[in-house]
Amino acid sequence: MSTTVATTVPTRSTARRRRVRLPGGVALALLLVFVFLSVAGPWIWGHAAGDTNVADANQAASGEHCLGADDLGRDLLARTLYATRSSLVLAVLATVVGGVVGVALGLLSGASHRLGKVLGAVINLLMAFPALLLSIFFAVLFGIGSVGSVLAVGASFAPGFARITQTLTASAVSRDYVEAARVLGKGPVTVVLRHVLPNIAEPVILYTTIHIGTAILALSGLSFLGLGVQPPAYDWGRLLSDGLTRVYITPTAAIGPAVAIVLAGLTFNMAGEHLADLVGGRRRAPRTAVAAATARPSTGTDVRPAPPVDDAALTTTDAAVEPLLEVQHLRVLYPGPDGGVVTPVRDVSFSVAPGETVGIVGESGSGKSMATSAVAQLVEAPGAVHAEVLRFDDVDLTRRTAEDERVLGRSMAMIFQDPGEALNPAVKVGTHLVEPAVVHLHQDKALARRRALDALRAVAVNDPERRFDQHQHELSGGTKQRVCIAIGLMGEPRLLIADEPTTALDVTVQRQILRLVAEVRAETGASVLFISHDIAVVSEISDRILVMYAGFVVEEATTDELLARPAHPYTGLLLAASPDMGADRSRPLPMLDGRMPGPGVDLPGCYFAERCPRAEQDCRDARPPLLQIGAPGHRAACWHPLTGTPSTATATGASGPADERTAP
Amino acid sequence: MIPALSVQDLTVRYGPVTAVRSASFDLRAGSVLGLVGESGSGKSTTARAVVGLAPFSGTIRVGDADASSPRSRAAREARRRVQMVFQDSRSSLDPRFTVGQCVAEGLPAGERRDAGRRIRELLDLVSLDEGLMRSRPGQLSGGQRQRVAIARALAARPDVLVADEVTASLDVSVQAVVLNLLRRLQADLGLSMLFISHNLAVVRYMCDDVAVMFNGRIVEQGGVDDILGRAQHPYTRSLLAAVPEVGQHRLLSDTAIEASAASSPAPGPGCDYRLRCPVGPAVDPGREVCSTTDPGPGAEARVHLAVCHFARERRDEPAAAGTGGALA
């Protein structure tokens, strides 16, 4: 067994487009400064801002007056600082007015079917006008002065608030919990107050914060135009307006308030965005954690050496045949939520012989999809793949070259659970089939088209000529899945990876697709790796089945052997828990409460022990290795299997696992 | 005996689409009626109409009360006696509520005063530890969340429980927990249940009666053993033949389940199923009647109804391959 640990670090560049942005701390610090100024400003500078001194009238910047003085000799710096309170208070008031009116309109139009259309049209109409135009219009309507300008700016904000609230509400009312409340007989007001409003509050509050900055600019604009605050009261907009008349003589008189406006606007915008980042970006985890774990595997979550695996487990049941795909001690790592590392795939070893169909069964969270993604080289940054051996045909997947990738592209085909996601909605069906052949294999276009039509015929798509020119939305789910299989057939597939390909399909269509996969395998001689949560589906198509649990392969056997003599208690439960058409209806189903340990959990023993009816203390202390039990090729990772005993297995070949055990 | 839920001529239209067409069925008091069919067959829409979430025409009676009119107080009261459990417990519980608040939401106005005791009772009924009362749905497993949703529905003291694909998004090991629980509750509380599922094996395990829907219509209904053991409608037989079974390698050996993979129902007059029907005109061109005449509900009694011109002739044949042995 090789001792070197090969690592596949995803090559895709991790650099992302990023906006240039100051750290959030700067915005918050500035925010605090503005809050302080608006609270304390008038006390500290109230005197200086009001003191007239005719001698200093219209003075330029000097040691005494940093920004100069106005026509009555009042200090402009003091007046700018003093005006912080009125500017900010008016801005907050305007935003609150806009928010309250807008949210109320939005809730009404989002929650009510009848009012929705009319109000939606009104909101759309108002959104069509520039906000400044609206606020000037409303300012004239509501009258000139502080109150008028606050109402005007609020009114011009309302459509924006209404729109975002309407969108959020419309999506919130279609949630099942809102419908559940309606079924319970709750009235519309109760539903809105209890379920809708709390669930849309977060984005609305963020939107509000960002808009305070905009309100400062809008109110200053109105004051500048003379529509806002009237003398003797003043805000930054008035100061700017006054200063601008002598901008060529004493420019500081205009620059001071201008800087204050811009800075305040920026601060609230940045603070809002920072807040949005904090709320929306919690899940963003540092990438360095996985890099570190990749460099030093011994410091990752999984500190123990990989459990020993019966060497025979690494070959197929027929040892004479060189396997097409060989995987030994595969691990997949991702950065965890709190800077740690999670391992969705902890230890997976298996092989697939040419022409063989291997099924992987597991529940959600078992790591079955992630393990096959690693085989298909689809694990992207920040994930990382470890394996002692990861070999496809004669390509070492842990250190593949560009040439290898071309080979892989032709000889590995993959179909997914949702074929609609796999097909580009903007591209015709035919293009999906033809393009790889033309671009990568440099085939003649006409030839590629002929082959594509043949492939569509091979997967029994009816009327292939017409389908060739259609888009994916014109196809049914079953036909889409057929097209995906046809795309795979365009190369020379030697391995077809099918990841829950029938889960989203109806039962009659599922049967058709299963049969198609079986036919494709029979005709092309390709191997199939078939992943599903449904052991019945897997057992119908597979020669051999792997059962996965919490990132481990816990059992492996030929299909007939596994169904007849399941050894791992988990396999036994999977087989018994799901009623079949012959289930005894008079008895309750065998069941299993609790949940699978997540990818961030690190246990010394068996990961199934907590839910296992047969678990004893030794199961919690030491992890059982995958050992042969009973028939050749039947392996299970269990200290207390349902059939056979691991001790007979240690005798049949595995070297050493017995000394791993701490309890008899 | 008055049925717990009686639906007559139920039709649901969404704009130009008719999702349910003249569906009629009775849910016998204390029994479980399964509603099966493929996606788009109208089974979930039927459930939504029954609980008042979809506008409909037709008559819905809960016990002896008429629940048809959307606004009348009496109809609203009647509808409160029909409660629903949704497919996805992740979205059917408000993420901001605690488990206790979720369950409390179902309590009738008169029981709010003694809410704490009643919530503990309900959690105990669905085998949940009362220590979970302050947890939020996000902290629970899928099976636990679904049990909270069931407790919330039971809090309203319903006569009828509508279970819409309640185990479809659960893992098999947890599915068994929820199915066992529903069976126990149904027996202990004397609930009547409308059980919607695409999984025929689960329906067979849970239900006393079955109605099969295709393209918005009920095409066959009757007792569970009649429908699943002696299916008469070719669509039901296709469904049964397609059920995946542990240990059956018959993918390359079994005969065609349906005549074609046509996705949309056949246009024009005649039977909706005729393009896919394995015994219809797509296979046997002599059967023109399927293309020209809509097979209305036959003269069969309501004991076993099959909407098909050629249902009767297959009556005495054994059930579809692969399921006969299991059902015998």
Side-chain angles (χ1 to χ4, degrees):
Chain A
M1 193 183 287
S2 157
T3 50
T4 54
V5 173
T7 303
T8 317
V9 179
T11 50
R12 177 176 284 215
S13 162
T14 57
R16 279 217 207 142
R17 277 182 298 140
R18 276 201 179 172
R19 273 186 290 168
V20 180
R21 185 182 284 181
L22 288 171
V26 175
L28 290 184
L30 280 172
L31 192 65
L32 281 180
V33 170
F34 278 110
V35 170
F36 170 78
L37 286 180
S38 56
V39 173
W43 292 334
I44 303 175
W45 294 288
H47 197 61
D51 259 6
T52 54
N53 182 353
V54 186
D56 290 346
N58 292 331
Q59 203 185 64
S62 66
E64 200 181 340
H65 303 293
C66 298
L67 294 178
D70 69 358
D71 50 0
L72 293 174
R74 293 174 293 200
D75 182 64
L76 279 174
L77 178 64
R79 284 174 74 76
T80 304
L81 293 170
Y82 182 95
T84 308
R85 179 187 282 183
S86 57
S87 300
L88 293 191
V89 166
L90 292 181
V92 169
L93 280 177
T95 313
V96 168
V97 167
V100 168
V101 174
V103 168
L105 282 177
L107 279 175
L108 264 180
S109 78
S112 156
H113 287 296
R114 275 171 299 170
L115 280 174
K117 276 192 182 147
V118 181
L119 282 176
V122 172
I123 293 167
N124 280 338
L125 193 70
L126 290 175
M127 291 287 287
F129 293 99
L132 188 64
L133 197 67
L134 270 187
S135 53
I136 293 173
F137 169 75
F138 283 120
V140 174
L141 204 67
F142 291 130
I144 291 163
S146 309
V147 177
S149 63
V150 162
L151 289 178
V153 171
S156 75
F157 281 1
F161 275 99
R163 162 54 56 81
I164 185 175
T165 311
Q166 179 194 30
T167 313
L168 291 167
T169 306
S171 93
V173 292
S174 65
R175 301 262 167 78
D176 284 348
Y177 56 79
V178 172
E179 303 211 313
R182 284 173 57 197
V183 174
L184 287 166
K186 307 289 178 210
V189 178
T190 319
V191 168
V192 165
L193 290 183
R194 279 175 66 89
H195 292 292
V196 177
L197 210 48
N199 281 297
I200 68 168
E202 210 167 76
V204 170
I205 288 171
L206 291 176
Y207 189 81
T208 308
T209 319
I210 292 175
H211 266 67
I212 294 175
T214 316
I216 291 169
L217 298 183
L219 284 166
S220 301
L222 287 182
S223 293
F224 178 80
L225 294 173
L227 298 169
V229 178
Q230 297 300 312
Y234 59 96
D235 67 349
W236 289 333
R238 277 217 66 78
L239 290 176
L240 179 64
S241 167
D242 293 346
L244 210 61
T245 54
R246 49 194 188 104
V247 69
Y248 295 111
I249 309 151
T250 52
T252 48
I255 289 171
V259 167
I261 292 168
V262 170
L263 208 56
L266 275 177
T267 300
F268 278 94
N269 267 312
M270 287 195 306
E273 292 207 357
H274 181 58
L275 215 58
D277 270 6
L278 284 182
V279 170
R282 280 185 209 122
R283 61 205 173 284
R284 216 175 289 156
R287 286 153 201 280
T288 46
V290 165
T294 306
R296 292 171 282 114
S298 58
T299 60
T301 42
D302 198 354
V303 291
R304 276 164 308 288
V309 171
D310 181 358
D311 273 332
L314 305 175
T315 60
T316 50
T317 44
D318 185 355
V321 184
E322 170 83 345
L324 175 72
L325 174 71
E326 195 178 352
V327 179
Q328 283 184 25
H329 299 305
L330 174 73
R331 288 209 297 156
V332 179
L333 307 166
Y334 270 88
D338 44 5
V341 174
V342 300
T343 20
V345 178
R346 293 186 168 95
D347 185 12
V348 168
S349 302
F350 67 94
S351 62
V352 181
E356 188 185 27
T357 301
V358 173
I360 301 185
V361 177
E363 298 181 304
S364 48
S366 64
K368 57 188 190 303
S369 285
M370 195 59 80
T372 41
S373 295
V375 168
Q377 310 287 297
L378 292 176
V379 173
E380 290 192 1
V385 175
H386 281 272
E388 279 181 17
V389 176
L390 190 55
R391 184 184 60 78
F392 175 70
D393 202 9
D394 49 6
V395 178
D396 181 355
L397 297 177
T398 57
R399 43 174 81 84
R400 61 190 194 281
T401 62
E403 177 54 30
D404 291 339
E405 303 218 351
R406 277 168 43 107
V407 174
L408 289 182
R410 246 178 311 167
S411 49
M412 252 193 217
M414 187 143 187
I415 52 176
F416 299 93
Q417 173 168 349
D418 187 350
E421 294 277 308
L423 298 174
N424 183 338
V427 173
K428 284 179 184 173
V429 166
T431 314
H432 280 107
L433 288 148
V434 168
E435 199 176 71
V438 173
V439 174
H440 299 298
L441 307 178
H442 310 294
Q443 277 181 0
D444 177 53
K445 223 172 181 174
L447 174 73
R449 185 188 155 88
R450 264 205 311 281
R451 288 192 55 227
L453 289 173
D454 284 345
L456 287 177
R457 256 174 234 122
V459 297
V461 164
N462 53 2
D463 205 353
E465 307 268 345
R466 188 164 62 93
R467 300 292 183 208
F468 193 86
D469 290 320
Q470 284 184 323
H471 289 86
Q472 60 124 314
H473 66 264
E474 296 171 88
L475 311 179
S476 69
T479 308
K480 276 184 226 172
Q481 200 58 286
R482 285 169 193 273
V483 167
C484 289
I485 297 173
I487 293 171
L489 292 180
M490 287 297 286
E492 293 136 14
R494 304 191 54 202
L495 177 66
L496 175 66
I497 298 177
D499 187 357
E500 301 261 13
T502 63
T503 304
L505 302 176
D506 287 311
V507 62
T508 52
V509 185
Q510 161 169 286
R511 164 118 321 207
Q512 291 157 3
I513 295 294
L514 285 178
R515 186 187 300 166
L516 177 61
V517 171
E519 282 168 1
V520 163
R521 173 199 160 188
E523 273 162 34
T524 63
S527 308
V528 178
L529 195 54
F530 192 96
I531 294 103
S532 176
H533 68 284
D534 187 339
I535 199 165
V537 169
V538 167
S539 76
E540 287 211 6
I541 197 165
S542 307
D543 302 318
R544 210 148 49 83
I545 296 179
L546 307 174
V547 181
M548 281 191 68
Y549 188 82
F552 293 97
V553 172
V554 295
E555 184 160 10
E556 169 189 6
T558 59
T559 303
D560 294 337
E561 169 76 9
L562 189 89
L563 300 181
R565 283 172 291 280
H568 200 285
Y570 178 65
T571 313
L573 191 112
L574 272 188
L575 284 167
S578 187
D580 59 22
M581 294 305 275
D584 182 353
R585 282 178 280 183
S586 60
R587 277 196 301 207
L589 297 164
M591 55 188 192
L592 182 64
D593 213 343
R595 61 211 291 192
M596 193 183 293
V601 177
D602 193 22
L603 300 176
C606 174
Y607 277 65
F608 186 58
E610 277 313 308
R611 302 171 75 189
C612 181
R614 298 166 73 86
E616 293 177 23
Q617 191 52 44
D618 56 340
C619 301
R620 297 186 177 88
D621 294 339
R623 191 173 314 152
L626 194 61
L627 294 179
Q628 182 169 339
I629 283 172
H634 190 171
R635 278 165 281 267
C638 181
W639 295 130
H640 307 285
L642 299 166
T643 56
T645 56
S647 55
T648 61
T650 51
T652 57
S655 54
D659 25 46
E660 272 266 316
R661 298 181 58 178
T662 55
Chain B
M1 191 174 174
I2 301 171
L5 178 73
S6 175
V7 171
Q8 297 300 322
D9 247 352
L10 179 79
T11 298
V12 182
R13 287 195 186 83
Y14 291 121
V17 181
T18 307
V20 178
R21 296 186 293 162
S22 303
S24 299
F25 59 85
D26 284 345
L27 169 59
R28 292 183 287 124
S31 77
V32 184
L33 171 64
L35 215 48
V36 302
E38 60 196 22
S39 52
S41 61
K43 53 191 196 301
S44 279
T45 308
T46 304
R48 292 172 57 82
V50 165
V51 296
L53 286 176
F56 61 89
S57 63
T59 317
I60 294 177
R61 297 182 70 82
V62 181
D64 51 6
D66 189 353
S68 309
S69 89
R71 300 199 180 279
S72 88
R73 173 178 287 268
R76 269 214 306 272
E77 282 304 309
R79 267 203 299 272
R80 261 189 75 84
R81 281 154 48 205
V82 183
Q83 285 303 318
M84 179 152 166
V85 183
F86 294 77
Q87 169 172 349
D88 186 0
S89 59
R90 200 182 299 274
S91 65
S92 74
L93 300 176
D94 192 323
R96 285 167 196 276
F97 279 30
T98 64
V99 166
Q101 288 171 321
C102 284
V103 177
E105 190 167 35
L107 293 174
E111 292 183 25
R112 303 250 164 85
R113 198 158 295 185
D114 202 10
R117 189 186 54 79
R118 184 86 176 104
I119 292 167
R120 275 191 290 278
E121 245 174 52
L122 285 160
L123 289 181
D124 185 53
L125 197 61
V126 298
S127 314
L128 278 179
D129 190 73
E130 62 180 69
L132 291 174
M133 213 146 98
R134 285 197 181 72
S135 312
R136 306 219 176 244
Q139 298 165 297
L140 306 184
S141 70
Q144 288 173 323
R145 277 199 302 268
Q146 200 57 291
R147 279 182 275 170
V148 173
I150 292 169
R152 175 179 61 188
L154 293 180
R157 299 189 186 275
D159 298 330
V160 177
L161 195 64
V162 178
D164 185 7
E165 297 274 13
V166 283
T167 61
S169 47
L170 297 178
D171 281 317
V172 277
S173 60
V174 183
Q175 165 176 286
V177 176
V178 173
L179 293 182
N180 285 342
L181 172 68
L182 284 175
R183 272 177 48 130
R184 175 167 63 77
L185 292 173
Q186 194 253 331
D188 292 357
L189 306 178
L191 280 175
S192 313
M193 196 149 61
L194 186 60
F195 188 87
I196 291 130
S197 176
H198 67 280
N199 186 332
L200 286 180
V202 168
V203 165
R204 178 183 167 279
Y205 183 73
M206 294 292 292
C207 301
D208 303 304
D209 299 305
V210 178
V212 184
M213 292 190 78
F214 179 78
N215 192 36
R217 288 175 118 175
I218 293 178
V219 294
E220 184 160 12
Q221 62 175 306
V224 66
D225 291 322
D226 267 354
I227 300 296
L228 302 186
R230 290 175 288 280
Q232 293 186 42
H233 197 285
Y235 175 64
T236 314
R237 301 165 75 89
S238 301
L239 282 182
L240 284 164
V243 173
E245 284 266 41
V246 163
Q248 300 279 336
H249 292 285
R250 54 193 161 111
L251 282 180
L252 290 172
S253 58
D254 64 353
T255 48
I257 288 168
E258 297 197 326
S260 83
S263 55
S264 47
C271 175
D272 297 329
Y273 187 56
R274 66 179 187 273
L275 292 183
R276 288 164 55 181
C277 184
V279 300
V283 176
D284 182 350
R287 296 189 157 169
E288 275 173 29
V289 61
C290 301
S291 311
T292 56
T293 313
D294 189 349
E300 297 261 356
R302 285 294 285 276
V303 179
H304 187 146
L305 166 143
V307 185
C308 173
H309 293 296
F310 297 97
R312 210 178 276 269
E313 63 167 23
R314 315 210 116 231
R315 165 151 248 188
D316 300 321
E317 289 180 21
T323 56
L327 287 163

